[in-house]
Amino acid sequence: MTKNTAHTVLKTQALEIGYKSKSKTSSIAQNINLSFNKGELIGLVGANGIGKSTFIRTLTKVQPSLNGNIILNDINLSEYNNLELAKSLSVVLTESVPSKNLSVFELVALGRHPYTNWVGNLNKKDLETVNQALEQTNILHLSDKKCYELSDGQLQKVMLSRALCQDTNLIILDEPTSHLDMYHKAYILKLLKTLTQETEKTILFSSHEIDLAIQLCDKIIVMTGETVEYDTPCNLISKGAFTNLFPSDLIKFDEKTGSFRVTK
Amino acid sequence: MLFLLNISLGSVSIPVEEVLKSFFIKIDNEAWYYIIQNYRLPKAITAILVGSGLSISGLLMQTLFRNPLAGPFVLGITSGASLGVALVIMGSSIFGGVFATIFSSSWSMVIASSLGSFLVLLTVLLASFKIRDTMALLIIGLMFGSITSAIVSVLSYFSSADQIQQFVFWGFGSLGNLTWGEVAVLASFCSVGFIITIAKIKGLNTLLLGENYAKSLGLNIKTNRILIIVATSLLAGTITAFAGPIAFIGLAVPHITRQIFNTSNHKTLIPAVFLIGSIIMLICDSIAQIPNSDYTLPINAITSLIGAPVVIWLLLRKRKMIF
């Protein structure tokens, strides 16, 4: 599953994440050394409150790291300004968009923001990119709909489409499958997989769908209180990385099926 | 059309053709010419500036705070202005007669309300440098409103009925008392506000996605926030200074426009809000004059009386609030 001709998109070196206030520093995870390659689908799993969001916030430069480096496309993350970063990294957040009165097309087209002129007009290339992004996420038929007319599943596709449109080689999604039914969870994650193969973009997503992540991801980051494991799903299973993910009194990881079972 | 109609109507009714003619040549009827040149025309221009300016600043605030209840005055602009005016009108009895004689010219109210709103805005602006959350800024603006209205209450408790009446009259709002010089000042401040708004169309559209997404798209949130606040304060601040606190327009017009045009895209909204704001203000002013009578109703009451039912009707008809 590893690619020999891999091109590193993002790399962390001895990264320490956490929060810093005037009085004290609370570290959440230390010594994270990862590298994401071109065209990989990477899952980020871990229990609630373990620091997945903090990790994502640090990678997307919403909050500073405590120590170590994040190298995005061979440049240190701290050297990017907002606009340059927007051309290399796009995100899909958990929050919903406050204005649902935009049409799907308008919302997706806002992904072109870093490239458009001062008034935000779309040129021919922008329009092509927008249409391509709509097509890749199978929502071309929705493009004239208003966002308030859409279901949660459709809305998630729109947000993904907007991120694609931003034309970055790394997309980070924070829990893209929450609020969705089983079918749409699988649909969105499968779509991410297809996109990494078709577009060679690197996609990182955090999720609680461990079973699906094991089946679809090229690599998975497993965060527990003490460690951050990063490997292919197969290796992680044989290492027993998922066994310690949750307290063992209620659910247990079944290595044969790659899913969790309720202990009876 | 409305512009001409607005000029033609009033306690003395002047035919629309005569109004049109008077722009190009000196018409025969001296009285009419004088009324148009020195009274009706500046008033109509003021109405357009006030209507469009307040509406635009309302739109800016609603987008910035992502809150459909925001209007141009959420940042405490009116409260600052009313505090300034209250101090001039009612403070004289407390601080002594010297104060009263200094502030007796027609500009005194303008200066007082500008100073008042400017001071409140400066504080809010300083807060906006410090605060990361835009919502907190909204609360701070509202708190300032409470503080100033409390001070105004205390002042009115110690004031004479005359002074209170004078203050209440200022609160009615008025479009009519502006000289050409004042109209020019108002127009130039408003233009700066409009120019900033147009320059920020792209940023405003991006802000529709929420601040976090906007930031991820490379938008500098702080710069945009500050510029939007500056534009709003220029518009709402100068308008309040010259025309008094005119309610409702700023809150309602963006909603009316969104309902009519069914869009949130600022490229369409800004010109549309500008236009609808001017139209509504001209209509309201024409009604306030009560054609062919000597009475002039407070413009502030008319804007609410006309505007509120329109908004309710639009919402009932569409059954869905568009934001």
Side-chain angles (χ1 to χ4, degrees):
Chain A
M1 288 194 81
T2 48
K3 289 170 190 153
N4 292 326
T5 53
H7 169 263
T8 308
V9 173
L10 184 135
K11 198 161 62 179
T12 65
Q13 298 169 330
L15 180 69
E16 182 179 6
I17 58 170
Y19 292 89
K20 204 185 220 165
S21 63
K22 272 175 199 151
S23 50
K24 61 170 186 176
T25 313
S26 50
S27 172
I28 286 174
Q30 306 88 31
N31 205 22
I32 308 171
N33 293 293
L34 315 166
S35 66
F36 303 160
N37 295 330
K38 195 175 170 186
E40 278 183 336
L41 178 65
I42 299 149
L44 168 63
V45 300
N48 283 333
I50 213 78
K52 293 194 298 297
S53 295
T54 311
F55 183 53
I56 283 185
R57 288 163 61 87
T58 313
L59 288 187
T60 53
K61 215 184 169 188
V62 174
Q63 73 181 67
S65 61
L66 295 181
N67 263 312
N69 295 315
I70 301 169
I71 315 287
L72 175 63
N73 299 327
D74 301 325
I75 301 168
N76 199 316
L77 195 66
S78 58
E79 287 166 29
Y80 281 89
N81 68 27
N82 279 358
L83 195 61
E84 288 165 359
L85 189 63
K87 291 179 183 176
S88 307
L89 168 74
S90 56
V91 295
V92 174
L93 307 166
T94 43
E95 65 182 50
S96 72
V97 170
S99 174
K100 293 263 168 73
N101 191 33
L102 290 166
S103 74
V104 169
F105 185 89
E106 282 175 317
L107 198 151
V108 173
L110 281 177
R112 298 302 296 169
H113 180 278
Y115 307 96
T116 52
N117 63 3
W118 68 274
V119 76
N121 283 332
L122 302 168
N123 62 26
K124 204 160 154 253
K125 182 177 177 272
D126 293 323
L127 286 173
E128 271 169 23
T129 319
V130 175
N131 280 318
Q132 197 190 350
L134 288 166
E135 219 166 283
Q136 282 166 339
T137 47
N138 307 316
I139 50 168
L140 199 56
H141 62 287
L142 295 175
S143 65
D144 292 328
K145 289 249 185 198
K146 292 279 183 183
C147 287
Y148 57 74
E149 298 174 303
L150 303 181
S151 70
D152 283 346
Q154 290 171 325
L155 210 53
Q156 198 56 265
K157 282 190 256 178
V158 173
M159 295 320 289
L160 177 60
S161 183
R162 189 206 58 84
L164 279 175
C165 200
Q166 212 173 317
D167 206 9
T168 59
N169 52 12
L170 175 63
I171 301 177
I172 295 182
L173 302 96
D174 195 2
E175 299 199 14
T177 54
S178 51
H179 310 299
L180 301 184
D181 63 33
M182 223 174 199
Y183 174 80
H184 281 96
K185 279 179 179 166
Y187 185 99
I188 292 285
L189 296 186
K190 185 78 210 313
L191 181 61
L192 294 180
K193 177 76 186 170
T194 318
L195 287 172
T196 54
Q197 288 163 343
E198 276 176 7
T199 62
E200 297 223 296
K201 287 177 196 291
T202 307
I203 298 180
L204 167 73
F205 69 94
S206 67
S207 181
H208 292 295
E209 305 309 313
I210 298 170
D211 325 10
L212 290 171
I214 288 172
Q215 292 173 53
L216 290 167
C217 292
D218 295 310
K219 297 221 180 108
I220 294 181
I221 305 166
V222 183
M223 286 183 88
T224 61
E226 296 86 38
T227 56
V228 178
E229 296 262 13
Y230 175 58
D231 213 328
T232 59
C234 293
N235 289 347
L236 286 169
I237 292 175
S238 51
K239 270 195 238 169
F242 298 106
T243 321
N244 301 323
L245 199 53
F246 301 115
S248 55
D249 54 341
L250 262 182
I251 46 172
K252 221 173 160 194
F253 187 71
D254 180 9
E255 292 184 8
K256 285 190 202 87
T257 58
S259 60
F260 283 87
R261 294 263 173 266
V262 179
T263 47
K264 285 174 185 136
Chain B
M1 254 315 282
L2 270 164
F3 183 70
L4 293 178
L5 203 66
N6 177 270
I7 294 174
S8 93
L9 294 175
S11 52
V12 180
S13 195
I14 304 169
V16 176
E17 310 92 73
E18 292 291 312
V19 173
L20 200 56
K21 248 197 265 169
S22 77
F23 292 152
F24 306 107
I25 48 162
K26 205 167 162 40
I27 53 171
D28 305 332
N29 192 322
E30 282 280 338
W32 285 0
Y33 187 75
Y34 185 82
I35 291 174
I36 291 170
Q37 286 294 322
N38 292 303
Y39 186 65
R40 299 272 174 88
L41 195 55
K43 183 167 66 78
I45 293 172
T46 310
I48 289 174
L49 286 172
V50 168
S52 53
L54 288 177
S55 308
I56 294 276
S57 55
L59 176 68
L60 292 179
M61 289 296 99
Q62 286 173 7
T63 301
L64 181 66
F65 291 117
R66 297 179 301 286
N67 188 333
L69 282 177
F73 300 132
V74 286
L75 294 174
I77 294 167
T78 337
S79 23
S82 66
L83 181 66
V85 172
L87 277 175
V88 169
I89 297 175
M90 305 191 278
S92 53
S93 60
I94 299 166
F95 301 112
V98 194
F99 222 59
T101 43
I102 296 171
F103 295 105
S104 56
S105 72
S106 75
W107 281 88
S108 66
M109 299 262 219
V110 171
I111 293 166
S113 62
S114 317
L115 266 180
S117 42
F118 179 72
L119 281 177
V120 170
L121 268 163
L122 199 67
T123 335
V124 175
L125 207 58
L126 283 177
S128 81
F129 281 109
K130 282 225 151 196
I131 290 171
R132 225 187 287 156
D133 188 2
T134 310
M135 289 304 156
L137 206 58
L138 184 66
I139 308 280
I140 289 179
L142 290 173
M143 289 303 114
F144 269 112
S146 306
I147 295 172
T148 46
S149 57
I151 298 174
V152 171
S153 302
V154 172
L155 280 174
S156 26
Y157 182 77
F158 290 107
S159 305
S160 66
D162 253 15
Q163 291 168 325
I164 291 173
Q165 196 192 26
Q166 210 186 338
F167 183 69
V168 168
F169 268 110
W170 175 79
F172 283 160
S174 149
L175 303 173
N177 300 325
L178 274 71
T179 62
W180 276 112
E182 288 167 331
V183 171
V185 173
L186 179 63
S188 39
F189 275 104
C190 284
S191 313
V192 178
F194 291 139
I195 289 167
I196 297 177
T197 309
I198 292 165
K200 282 289 132 209
I201 286 179
K202 185 178 168 185
L204 286 163
N205 275 337
T206 314
L207 276 174
L208 288 174
L209 293 176
E211 282 190 3
N212 289 331
Y213 272 120
K215 197 180 161 213
S216 84
L217 281 165
L219 191 76
N220 191 332
I221 300 290
K222 272 196 176 169
T223 324
N224 272 277
R225 192 200 283 164
I226 288 164
L227 277 173
I228 290 171
I229 291 176
V230 167
T232 307
S233 32
L234 278 175
L235 290 169
T238 30
I239 288 168
T240 309
F242 284 103
I246 290 178
F248 195 78
I249 292 285
L251 175 70
V253 171
H255 285 297
I256 295 173
T257 315
R258 270 191 284 262
Q259 294 285 355
I260 294 174
F261 287 81
N262 195 18
T263 181
S264 287
N265 188 337
H266 287 81
K267 255 182 267 173
T268 320
L269 272 186
I270 285 174
V273 161
F274 185 96
L275 208 67
I276 293 182
S278 323
I279 290 172
I280 290 186
M281 204 64 206
L282 282 173
I283 295 174
C284 288
D285 180 54
S286 306
I287 295 172
Q289 295 303 321
I290 317 180
N292 295 323
S293 80
D294 286 336
Y295 296 105
T296 306
L297 295 176
I299 187 73
N300 218 340
I302 300 297
T303 50
S304 302
L305 277 176
I306 307 287
V310 171
V311 172
I312 293 171
W313 175 70
L314 277 170
L315 285 176
L316 284 176
R317 201 175 58 122
K318 297 236 175 157
R319 283 153 200 268
K320 188 164 176 67
M321 200 191 70
I322 294 165
F323 180 58

